[in-house]
Amino acid sequence: MNKELTSLIRKAAELMVEAKYLSAFTGAGISVESGIPPFRGKNGLWTIYDPAHFEIDYFIQHPEESWKLLKKLFFETFEKAVPNEAHIILAELERKKILKALITQNIDNLHYLAGSKNIVEYHGNSRKLVCLSCRRSYPAEAKLLENLPPKCRCSGILKPDFVFFGEGIPIEAALEAERITESSDVMLVVGTTGQVYPAALIPQNAKRNGATIIEVNQEPSEYSYSITDIFIEGKATKMLEMIEMEIESITQN
Ligand code: NAD
């Protein structure tokens, strides 16, 4: 390991251990090593698909076509994916009471499956489907997705319970994320470009409130040269493993 990376990892670990309220903010990049493609960057979905097809208006107008894509890109991929070391380390840090809360933009349920408890799923999740007509919700079971589009017993169209482009953030998630952001004196940002709004404002607001921003990403993001205090360039699993080892050595001494 090069000297500069060693010292960045050491500094990050110290800040995380000493923090009064450490939070984490994650994006699609943390799940790439679990086999889930991100939207942007290398092998990103936007290199193949048109983002306009993920707008809520498009879904309402073309539910059958949209559902075929959603099933293939999200539900079938998520079903096969398991949490990787980065998800697991964040859950362990929470168990050890070092990490207080986690805000994720992801809809893949992997933080939840890794055992994180205090999670805000800012863009919802893929565990539930909700009726566009009567708002009744259903667990997203494979049986429901056999005939597309899936329908509610009121015959309304079911939509995944995650936020599409053009939809608002669920109010409870927005308020809880705000509370966490205001409480944070250190925020660990992992695997996000910082280009999707309003989610992208979370680390910016934390910084404005005086938080120190530690960022892990395999390439620079919108944050890296603006609000980030410590930029750790590399893959989420490897970098978090190194940070965790350093935290172990600090807390055992
Ligand atoms: P993004 O797709 O815009 O960008 C991915 C980011 O992750 C990039 O900055 C990239 O450099 C980084 N990255 C890729 N592989 C990495 C790795 N192994 N280790 C560390 N960093 C890595 O992601 P975003 O900024 O989170 O925004 C995309 C939006 O799309 C989010 O709102 C999210 O809801 C949604 N999304 C979610 C999933 C998911 O649930 N897994 C997947 C795709 C998109």
Side-chain angles (χ1 to χ4, degrees):
M1 198 187 349
N2 72 47
K3 250 187 174 169
E4 199 198 351
L5 182 60
T6 313
S7 95
L8 289 174
I9 298 276
R10 176 84 194 171
K11 185 79 201 136
E14 282 169 0
L15 282 163
M16 287 167 67
V17 169
E18 286 161 13
K20 286 199 180 68
Y21 194 101
L22 170 69
S23 62
F25 176 67
T26 65
I30 198 167
S31 296
V32 166
E33 292 166 85
S34 290
I36 299 177
F39 278 167
R40 295 168 189 78
K42 204 170 140 241
N43 301 324
L45 294 178
W46 295 167
T47 58
I48 310 169
Y49 300 97
D50 180 355
H53 289 178
F54 298 86
E55 305 253 352
I56 187 63
D57 290 346
Y58 192 88
F59 176 81
I60 291 167
Q61 281 157 24
H62 309 91
E64 187 178 340
E65 181 199 327
S66 293
W67 257 112
K68 283 186 184 155
L69 203 56
L70 291 168
K71 184 177 170 185
K72 177 171 145 211
L73 295 185
F74 297 124
F75 289 87
E76 289 177 355
T77 315
F78 296 168
E79 203 178 62
K80 287 184 232 136
V82 292
N84 64 47
E85 211 42 40
H87 300 104
I88 291 166
I89 288 169
L90 292 182
E92 276 170 11
L93 290 176
E94 184 186 349
R95 269 196 296 280
K96 291 177 181 162
K97 303 199 182 325
I98 293 171
L99 181 68
K100 302 294 188 299
L102 166 64
I103 305 169
T104 188
Q105 299 169 82
N106 295 345
I107 52 170
D108 56 24
N109 314 319
L110 293 183
H111 285 299
Y112 182 81
L113 292 173
S116 285
K117 299 277 181 264
N118 195 12
I119 322 173
V120 175
E121 293 170 317
Y122 198 74
H123 290 152
N125 62 64
S126 51
R127 295 186 294 282
K128 277 193 300 177
L129 308 182
V130 60
C131 176
L132 285 177
S133 305
C134 72
R135 308 303 300 170
R136 191 190 303 267
S137 73
Y138 297 80
E141 286 162 359
K143 222 175 101 215
L144 259 182
L145 303 185
E146 278 168 9
N147 296 312
L148 300 178
K151 298 245 177 79
C152 178
R153 67 180 77 146
C154 80
S155 78
I157 304 280
L158 297 179
K159 173 195 155 303
D161 197 18
F162 52 70
V163 177
F164 281 50
F165 292 121
E167 282 193 299
I169 303 302
I171 188 72
E172 274 178 29
L175 290 174
E176 185 56 11
E178 199 176 306
R179 194 196 60 72
I180 293 167
T181 304
E182 280 170 7
S183 306
S184 303
D185 57 344
V186 180
M187 184 177 276
L188 172 68
V189 177
V190 185
T192 176
T193 47
Q195 288 179 13
V196 175
Y197 281 82
L201 291 171
I202 291 170
Q204 295 178 31
N205 290 339
K207 177 76 176 182
R208 196 168 309 124
N209 286 337
T212 301
I213 308 295
I214 301 167
E215 183 186 10
V216 174
N217 198 312
Q218 65 178 18
E219 55 189 62
S221 72
E222 296 291 320
Y223 303 126
S224 313
Y225 303 121
S226 54
I227 60 164
T228 296
D229 296 286
I230 298 184
F231 180 49
I232 298 175
E233 190 163 354
K235 292 196 170 179
T237 53
K238 182 95 178 86
M239 297 303 115
L240 287 189
E241 273 168 21
M242 292 197 295
I243 292 173
E244 194 199 28
M245 274 166 57
E246 208 50 52
I247 288 178
E248 289 273 301
S249 92
I250 295 170
T251 50
Q252 277 165 14
N253 286 329

